[in-house]
Amino acid sequence: MNDNFKSGFITIIGRPNTGKSTFLNHVIGQKIAIMSDKRQTTRNRIQGVLTSTDSQLVFIDTPGIHKPKHRLGDFMVKSAQDTLNEVDAVLFMVNANEGYGKGDQYILDLLQQVNRPVFLVINKIDLVHPDELLPLIDQYRNKYDFEAVFPISALNGNNVSSLIKELKSYIPEGPQYYPDDYVTDHPERFIISELIREKVLQLTREEVPHSIAVIIENLEERESGSIFIQASIVTERKTQKGIIIGKQGAMLKNIGQKARSDIEALLGSKVYLDLWVKVQKDWRNKQSQLQEFGYRSDEY
């Protein structure tokens, strides 16, 4: 290992739908966080690891900070806030296409209490005219003394490498926490469930809100080398169940086909995916079910 090897933890924080997960996936080079243009997609802190010859950057993708409406929302916001005191640097990501909003001020107030370098990352610059960027940068700079400002496109990769280079100059010398080929701290079951949930969100659009969870009921390798996965999509209402299944099962089949493609890329094996849809009324406000779905009771 390099004698001057650096390692550090960086949290990505921002309002919902600013592209935090897209950024993390681009940096890591594979999909570990689900992407959707629906708000509040990320529910758990997802840790992504970028290792090079001279450094290891551990990124924490947090749920978008928003006003909670249920126990699950409380968990998501607390999860994001807690990371601010655990890291070496903070990326405050905003959406260039939406501009400054009330939710940003709430986060900026939180950041005033953080004794860490904070970078303003203006994402989705591919969606705005360059002339709109300078006034937007000035608006945010007037509200907080950022260490630096990086306009980027996480989708296209614009300026992302410059941001990574700058981050390396801020993190301390330290050990390599994870092996070279390690990209995330989440087990395969979690990532598989998130890939399935992503397809539900993408394909059902506004018809099904974020009242769904995915549970991996069974995961086993067959003698042929293929992997059998049985998963349940849990929703809160019968009407939502009908939408997810679709006419003659067409929607569920489409969800399964698209999810299977991503899961096979993740696992490097042929996958047989068996999807079921269940209704569990008001699960987002029930502590026992939140724990069953992976949200620890000490976090909400």
Side-chain angles (χ1 to χ4, degrees):
M1 186 191 298
N2 188 325
D3 289 339
N4 299 316
F5 194 84
K6 288 185 161 191
S7 58
F9 292 79
I10 300 114
T11 194
I12 313 166
I13 197 165
R15 282 190 290 161
N17 201 31
T18 56
K20 298 182 294 295
S21 296
T22 307
F23 171 78
L24 183 62
N25 290 335
H26 178 85
V27 168
I28 303 306
Q30 67 184 76
K31 184 180 287 188
I32 61 170
I34 76 170
M35 296 183 291
S36 167
D37 56 5
K38 287 190 175 184
R39 295 178 178 274
Q40 302 166 30
T41 301
T42 304
R43 287 182 181 162
N44 301 69
R45 287 181 290 181
I46 296 177
Q47 193 162 284
V49 183
L50 177 65
T51 304
S52 58
T53 55
D54 61 351
S55 65
Q56 187 169 77
L57 305 183
V58 183
F59 291 91
I60 302 170
D61 175 23
T62 62
I65 289 188
H66 60 286
K67 188 174 181 180
K69 296 180 180 178
H70 38 64
R71 274 182 179 267
L72 176 58
D74 291 336
F75 162 82
M76 291 164 69
V77 172
K78 186 174 185 299
S79 178
Q81 292 174 354
D82 286 349
T83 65
L84 295 175
N85 299 310
E86 303 170 354
V87 296
D88 299 292
V90 177
L91 301 183
F92 174 38
M93 189 168 291
V94 301
N95 184 341
N97 201 33
E98 290 185 356
Y100 175 80
K102 289 182 179 179
D104 288 326
Q105 189 57 54
Y106 176 67
I107 297 171
L108 289 168
D109 290 342
L110 288 176
L111 292 175
Q112 296 292 350
Q113 305 162 40
V114 175
N115 187 24
R116 296 287 189 276
V118 179
F119 298 84
L120 175 64
V121 180
I122 301 178
N123 191 19
K124 306 188 182 183
I125 59 170
D126 49 305
L127 300 180
V128 299
H129 192 278
D131 292 346
E132 297 176 52
L133 281 177
L134 281 178
L136 189 61
I137 291 171
D138 288 340
Q139 187 177 19
Y140 280 99
R141 275 203 176 279
N142 289 334
K143 297 178 184 297
Y144 189 89
D145 184 20
F146 293 101
E147 203 72 35
V149 179
F150 282 87
I152 70 164
S153 169
L155 187 64
N156 299 327
N158 299 10
N159 216 24
V160 173
S161 59
S162 298
L163 172 56
I164 298 301
K165 184 178 179 180
E166 184 76 2
L167 281 174
K168 287 183 180 181
S169 69
Y170 279 85
I171 63 172
E173 289 187 11
Q176 182 171 328
Y177 293 102
Y178 302 102
D180 290 346
D181 58 352
Y182 195 96
V183 294
T184 183
D185 64 333
H186 277 291
E188 286 178 342
R189 279 177 175 259
F190 173 82
I191 300 175
I192 290 167
S193 69
E194 286 289 89
L195 291 175
I196 297 169
R197 190 164 70 91
E198 174 187 58
K199 301 312 173 193
V200 176
L201 293 175
Q202 289 177 346
L203 293 170
T204 58
R205 311 300 300 166
E206 297 304 320
E207 296 171 301
V208 176
H210 286 257
S211 57
I212 62 161
V214 176
I215 308 170
I216 305 301
E217 308 279 9
N218 188 25
L219 190 156
E220 62 182 58
E221 187 172 350
R222 298 278 172 83
E223 289 184 7
S224 62
S226 64
I227 296 172
F228 172 76
I229 301 170
Q230 186 179 59
S232 294
I233 300 169
V234 180
T235 188
E236 290 185 322
R237 296 197 294 272
K238 287 183 178 179
T239 52
Q240 293 166 354
K241 177 180 179 179
I243 291 169
I244 293 169
I245 293 173
K247 189 175 181 181
Q248 296 181 328
M251 178 61 76
L252 190 61
K253 183 179 180 182
N254 197 9
I255 291 167
Q257 288 174 339
K258 292 184 180 301
R260 187 178 69 248
S261 177
D262 278 359
I263 296 167
E264 287 179 340
L266 173 72
L267 301 180
S269 302
K270 184 173 176 59
V271 168
Y272 177 79
L273 182 60
D274 185 25
L275 293 181
W276 296 79
V277 186
K278 297 179 179 179
V279 177
Q280 293 189 15
K281 190 177 179 183
D282 202 29
W283 68 264
R284 287 181 293 177
N285 278 313
K286 294 177 179 176
Q287 186 166 317
S288 61
Q289 290 184 321
L290 284 170
Q291 285 182 272
E292 181 187 346
F293 298 162
Y295 307 105
R296 299 203 311 269
S297 60
D298 61 346
E299 293 184 307
Y300 52 82

